[in-house]
């Protein structure tokens, strides 16, 4: 007895399999045209993957550099802290802070005591930002230790770190003495004499000219702020900043502290990254609009060449949906091959760029976004690969929709008469 | 005397008018026609007489300008695209002058496509396709690409494709028109045999007297009208 589905049932898997076979064989049959289309789309996929990986690498470098100078990824201040205020604002209950950071999962953090200061060296002087740091903890958050060019990073009592640029400007060298003038916690002018223990050079002149470091204990003594700190900076993967900041807030008494993440601390960086992403998305949109036109053009040619075939299938009882399925299968298959080729080439190129990188030193001037190094390395993630392939396949299907609809709307009599 | 066979096709007042460059062309001008189940009927007439148009209308590939067409129990004038497709899938098989096989598929796959559309299960599908290809003498060449087959063999595949779905009606538009006389006769003999064995109603068009001679009934078309409807006996 004959077994059939009732009319109007969705196409069976077997029918889809035959459509796949027809599509595949037609792609092979028209090798040159198929290869050209696949190559064009594959180049776009390749560009998407490589650009995305380079952009991710660029953002990683920017974040690493900009936040690694001083800011960190998460910062803790007192509730009444304001960046515009010059008065020292020590954190309340400093003894609960370290346990709170650890409990929140922030293991790399550095307590600081910051205050404005004036350097006096012979006939020279310069206003700077003084940071009292725990050198070992600070090195887990910022890049200063990596940027030492002379002397010792480990600060002892009576020692100070200044930048190479500032030392040159003040006529100082390692081992020389200079005087720091500050306003103490109680508002009194205080001075201290310090020996230059080491010189650093981040490459960012504006930063180098305005930052000096004492050990935390030395700074606390100078500022008459025994046991006080004004901020704690922590380092963690930027993507985890919000979650870790939330956990940290839960560990601290409400209303006495403020916890800020890097987007609040460095809004210009976050905005620049958003701008980069928006520009990239526009570029990809244009690229894939061109891809879509390429596929649509190929599929329109396919339809034109196979008018009679579609007319025949219609005569056999293929519904408009069956015809759409057949055309879209071919379009999707072209996209699939292109995605595969583009992805393989993209992975190879990004693997190379991830290993050897691209040195941007010759293309950019020194700026805060390349302090950590000028070699841009690609960062490719499974998410980006899936996204690139998803966009390609969606574009292939979208590009095939109009030709598929046209094929489904063909007048079968005219299609059968087509020569 | 036995009862006549049920009606397979009934047309009433069917007209078909095309507009070409602002001029009306009357391809069919008021066709009244009935075919009974199991008939083997030839539409005879010169090119442009309306044979193909009539076949297309009966196969629901086109819609008449006016009149009604009934195939079996179903009124088909006025069907939507989707309904027409489902009607053709179930009720008709087409054989074309130019074979119209899917070039990238094998003979087996071309014939199988109809059963895939009908949703026939895999094992039954395979068995029916092979039986049909055996019936047209092509079982041995089932897996060969149709582009590797001769014209006569390709038309045999087309006949197998038209019949494999067990349609009550087969429409063949100049099925021997692209074949030499030997292959042409072989194809019409095949259609005739399958008509007799299966009781399938066959309506084919031709202007070749040797092919027309195989029909039980000949409808002569001239300028979109049936000018003669005659029975004939003693086919070759």
């Amino acid at each position: 007895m004959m077994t059939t589905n009732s009319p109007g049932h969705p196409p069976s898997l077997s029918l889809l399999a035959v459509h796949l076979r027809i599509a595949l064989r037609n792609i092979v049959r028209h090798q040159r045209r198929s290869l050209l289309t696949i190559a064009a789309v594959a180049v776009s996929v390749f560009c998407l993957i490589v650009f995305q990986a380079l952009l991710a690498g660029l953002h990683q470098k920017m974040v690493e550099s900009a936040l690694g100078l001083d800011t960190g990824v998460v910062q803790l201040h007192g509730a009444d802290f304001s960046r515009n205020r010059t008065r020292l604002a020590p954190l309340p209950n400093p003894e609960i802070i370290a346990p709170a950071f650890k409990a929140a999962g922030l293991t790399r953090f550095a307590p600081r005591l910051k205050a404005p200061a004036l350097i006096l060296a012979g006939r020279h002087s310069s206003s700077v930002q003084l940071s009292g740091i725990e050198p070992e903890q600070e090195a887990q958050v910022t890049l200063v230790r990596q940027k030492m060019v002379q002397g010792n990073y480990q600060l002892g009592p009576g020692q100070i770190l200044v930048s190479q640029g500032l030392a040159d400007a003040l006529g100082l060298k390692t081992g020389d003495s200079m005087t720091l003038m500050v306003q103490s916690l109680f508002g009194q002018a205080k001075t201290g004499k310090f020996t230059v223990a080491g010189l650093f050079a981040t490459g960012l002149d504006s930063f180098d000219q305005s930052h000096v470091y004492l050990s935390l204990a030395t700074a606390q003594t100078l500022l008459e702020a025994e046991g006080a700190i004004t901020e704690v900076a922590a380092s963690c993967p930027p993507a985890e900043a919000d979650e870790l900041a939330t956990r940290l807030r839960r560990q601290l008494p409400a209303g006495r502290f403020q916890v800020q993440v890097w987007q609040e601390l460095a809004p210009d960086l976050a905005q620049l990254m958003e701008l980069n992403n928006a520009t990239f998305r526009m570029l990809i949109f244009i690229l894939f609009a061109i891809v879509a036109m390429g596929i649509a053009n190929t599929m329109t040619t396919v339809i034109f060449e196979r008018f009679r075939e579609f007319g025949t299938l219609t005569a056999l009882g293929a519904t408009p949906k069956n015809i759409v399925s057949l055309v879209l299968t071919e379009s999707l298959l072209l996209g699939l091959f292109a995605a595969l080729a583009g992805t393989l080439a993209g992975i190879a190129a990004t693997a190379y760029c991830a290993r050897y990188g691209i040195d941007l030193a010759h293309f950019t001037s020194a700026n805060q976004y390349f302090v950590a190094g000028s070699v841009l390395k690609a960062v490719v993630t499974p998410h980006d690969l899936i996204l690139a392939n998803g966009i390609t396949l969606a574009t292939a299907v979208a590009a095939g929709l109009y030709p598929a609809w046209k094929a489904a709307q063909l007048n079968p009599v005219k299609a059968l008469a087509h020569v | 005397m036995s009862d006549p066979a049920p009606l397979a096709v009934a047309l009433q007042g069917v007209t078909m008018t095309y507009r070409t460059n602002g001029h009306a062309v009357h391809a069919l001008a008021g066709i009244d026609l009935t075919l009974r189940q199991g008939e083997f009927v030839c539409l005879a007439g010169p090119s442009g007489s309306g044979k193909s148009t009539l076949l297309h209308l009966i196969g629901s590939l086109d819609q008449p300008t006016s009149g009604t067409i009934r195939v079996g129990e179903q009124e088909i004038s006025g069907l939507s695209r989707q309904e027409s497709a489902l009607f053709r899938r179930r009720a008709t098989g087409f054989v074309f002058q130019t074979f119209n096989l899917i070039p990238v598929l094998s003979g087996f796959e071309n014939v199988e496509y109809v059963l895939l559309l009908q949703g026939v299960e895999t094992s039954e599908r395979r068995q029916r396709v092979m039986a049909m290809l055996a019936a047209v003498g092509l079982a041995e060449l089932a897996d060969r690409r149709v582009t590797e087959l001769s014209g006569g063999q390709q038309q045999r595949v087309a006949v197998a494709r038209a019949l494999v779905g067990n349609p009550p009606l087969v429409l063949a538009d100049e099925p021997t028109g692209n074949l030499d006389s030997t292959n042409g006769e072989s194809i019409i003999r095949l259609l005739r045999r399958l008509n007799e064995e299966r009781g399938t109603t066959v309506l084919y068009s031709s202007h070749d007297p040797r092919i027309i001679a195989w029909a039980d009934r000949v409808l002569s078309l001239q300028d979109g009208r049936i000018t003669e409807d005659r029975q004939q006996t003693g086919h070759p």
Side-chain angles (χ1 to χ4, degrees):
Chain A
M1 187 180 152
M2 188 173 76
T3 312
T4 60
N5 284 345
S6 60
H9 265 210
S12 67
L13 283 178
S14 304
L15 188 59
L16 287 177
V18 169
H19 285 177
L20 193 64
R21 213 178 305 154
I22 292 175
L24 189 61
R25 288 179 189 171
N26 272 311
I27 286 172
V28 174
R29 189 179 173 209
H30 301 284
Q31 263 176 28
R32 185 180 296 177
R33 183 178 62 204
S34 302
L35 281 175
L36 280 173
T37 307
I38 289 169
V41 180
V43 167
S44 302
V45 179
F46 171 82
C47 289
L48 175 57
I49 290 171
V50 173
F51 290 169
Q52 177 64 53
L54 288 176
L55 186 68
L58 177 70
H59 285 174
Q60 194 178 72
K61 183 71 77 181
M62 285 167 68
V63 168
E64 187 186 340
S65 296
L67 305 184
L69 263 180
D70 182 71
T71 314
V73 181
V74 176
Q75 274 190 13
L76 177 74
H77 294 101
D80 58 348
F81 170 79
S82 163
R83 281 180 202 285
N84 298 325
R85 204 181 301 166
T86 52
R87 185 175 66 81
L88 280 180
L91 290 172
N93 306 93
E95 72 283 358
I96 66 169
I97 290 170
F101 270 80
K102 286 175 185 163
L106 285 158
T107 52
R108 289 178 293 152
F109 60 93
R112 296 163 174 171
L113 176 60
K114 282 186 171 179
L118 185 68
I119 292 183
L120 303 169
R123 292 164 55 193
H124 303 286
S125 67
S126 181
S127 62
V128 293
Q129 169 82 52
L130 163 64
S131 294
I133 57 169
E134 295 283 9
E136 283 305 320
Q137 283 181 269
E138 187 67 24
Q140 293 183 329
V141 177
T142 58
L143 300 163
V144 176
R145 180 164 69 178
Q146 296 170 35
K147 297 296 174 183
M148 291 298 294
V149 291
Q150 205 175 77
N152 190 5
Y153 174 75
Q154 296 301 333
L155 288 160
Q159 291 185 322
I160 188 168
L161 284 184
V162 299
S163 72
Q164 175 85 64
L166 184 60
D168 291 345
L170 296 173
L172 294 170
K173 58 185 187 301
T174 313
D176 287 354
S177 292
M178 38 76 70
T179 302
L180 263 187
M181 179 182 283
V182 296
Q183 189 175 30
S184 77
L185 180 62
F186 305 106
Q188 293 178 330
K190 299 281 293 181
T191 58
K193 207 168 174 96
F194 298 94
T195 305
V196 178
L199 303 177
F200 64 87
T202 65
L204 187 64
D205 199 43
S206 60
F207 181 87
D208 287 358
Q209 291 290 342
S210 59
H211 286 76
V212 298
Y213 298 91
L214 300 177
S215 72
L216 182 59
T218 306
Q220 286 168 339
T221 304
L222 178 66
L223 291 161
E224 295 182 317
E226 296 305 316
I229 53 174
T230 53
E231 75 176 33
V232 182
S235 181
C236 66
E240 296 172 18
D242 283 329
E243 189 191 331
L244 292 171
T246 304
R247 279 199 233 160
L248 179 59
R249 285 187 195 102
R250 285 200 208 108
Q251 298 296 325
L252 295 164
R256 305 185 66 182
F257 295 92
Q258 52 174 304
V259 177
Q260 290 175 298
V261 292
W262 67 273
Q263 293 96 330
E264 300 165 280
L265 299 164
D268 51 338
L269 174 64
Q271 286 160 3
L272 184 60
M273 287 167 66
E274 278 174 15
L275 186 66
N276 281 346
N277 284 332
T279 310
F280 179 70
R281 278 196 291 270
M282 262 190 337
L283 189 73
I284 292 306
F285 179 79
I286 293 167
L287 192 68
F288 275 80
I290 296 168
V291 165
M293 281 189 269
I295 296 179
N297 181 49
T298 300
M299 293 314 297
T300 305
T301 310
V302 164
I303 304 302
F304 185 77
E305 284 177 356
R306 284 160 52 197
F307 263 15
R308 185 178 286 215
E309 184 177 319
F310 293 120
T312 303
L313 294 178
T314 305
L316 296 180
T319 60
K321 275 183 196 164
N322 295 143
I323 301 293
V324 167
S325 149
L326 180 58
V327 177
L328 283 188
T329 302
E330 194 159 329
S331 185
L332 185 65
L333 217 50
L334 281 173
L336 204 61
F337 287 139
L340 190 67
T343 301
L344 288 177
I347 287 174
T350 50
Y352 178 87
C353 288
R355 181 161 184 185
Y356 300 107
I358 300 168
D359 193 347
L360 298 178
H362 302 298
F363 305 109
T364 60
S365 56
N367 66 59
Q368 61 175 316
Y369 303 122
F370 292 106
V371 171
S374 59
V375 177
L376 173 60
K377 292 195 170 180
V379 176
V380 66
T381 64
H383 170 268
D384 291 338
L385 290 179
I386 291 167
L387 188 69
N389 281 278
I391 291 174
T392 307
L393 297 182
T395 305
V397 172
L401 276 176
Y402 179 70
W405 179 81
K406 287 289 284 180
Q409 297 304 311
L410 282 176
N411 178 326
V413 173
K414 285 184 183 166
L416 285 167
H418 185 79
V419 180
Chain B
M1 190 178 154
S2 60
D3 289 338
L7 283 180
V9 177
L11 284 78
Q12 215 166 23
V14 170
T15 68
M16 188 67 179
T17 304
Y18 297 109
R19 293 231 154 246
T20 308
N21 298 327
H23 298 288
V25 178
H26 302 288
L28 294 176
I31 301 284
D32 294 310
L33 169 68
T34 55
L35 300 181
R36 297 208 171 264
Q37 281 179 16
E39 279 193 292
F40 195 74
V41 183
C42 179
L43 280 173
S47 293
S49 59
K51 302 187 299 289
S52 294
T53 304
L54 188 55
L55 288 170
H56 291 153
L57 291 179
I58 294 171
S60 196
L61 285 174
D62 215 341
Q63 295 292 328
T65 308
S66 66
T68 60
I69 303 171
R70 180 172 284 275
V71 176
E73 295 298 313
Q74 190 172 1
E75 165 67 52
I76 61 164
S77 32
L79 292 182
S80 68
R81 271 178 176 273
Q82 175 81 6
E83 290 165 340
S84 286
L86 296 176
F87 159 76
R88 286 191 295 272
R89 185 183 292 183
R90 179 185 56 78
T92 65
F94 278 95
V95 181
F96 303 99
Q97 181 177 350
T98 48
F99 323 138
N100 289 11
L101 300 171
I102 309 302
V104 294
L105 296 182
S106 67
F108 180 93
E109 290 165 335
N110 264 280
V111 178
E112 184 191 30
Y113 192 81
V114 172
L115 298 184
L116 282 165
L117 287 174
Q118 290 184 349
V120 177
E121 286 175 356
T122 310
S123 56
E124 184 186 340
R125 206 164 62 223
R126 177 158 191 85
Q127 177 256 314
R128 281 173 62 184
V129 171
M130 287 313 295
M132 200 64 237
L133 284 171
V136 300
L138 284 178
E140 308 255 311
L141 302 175
D143 293 328
R144 197 173 280 188
R145 271 301 159 87
V146 290
T147 47
E148 296 167 7
L149 300 178
S150 70
Q153 288 168 333
Q154 287 190 45
Q155 195 62 308
R156 283 172 178 273
V157 174
V159 169
R161 183 179 66 181
L163 282 150
V164 74
N166 290 331
L169 175 66
V170 167
L171 302 165
D173 191 2
E174 301 271 7
T176 62
N178 259 22
L179 300 173
D180 59 38
S181 57
T182 310
N183 275 312
E185 192 170 314
S186 163
I187 287 295
I188 199 69
R189 191 189 297 275
L190 175 65
L191 279 170
R192 178 82 225 201
R193 177 165 63 79
L194 294 170
N195 155 260
E196 287 170 356
E197 285 173 6
R198 295 167 163 249
T200 310
T201 309
V202 176
L203 178 61
Y204 69 97
S205 66
S206 180
H207 55 259
D208 182 343
R210 284 171 301 178
I211 301 301
I212 296 169
W214 283 83
D216 293 330
R217 183 181 167 195
V218 179
L219 302 167
S220 298
L221 252 73
Q222 184 82 42
D223 299 329
R225 294 178 191 280
I226 295 176
T227 54
E228 187 185 8
D229 182 351
R230 65 184 161 84
Q231 299 286 335
Q232 62 180 18
T233 52
H235 62 75

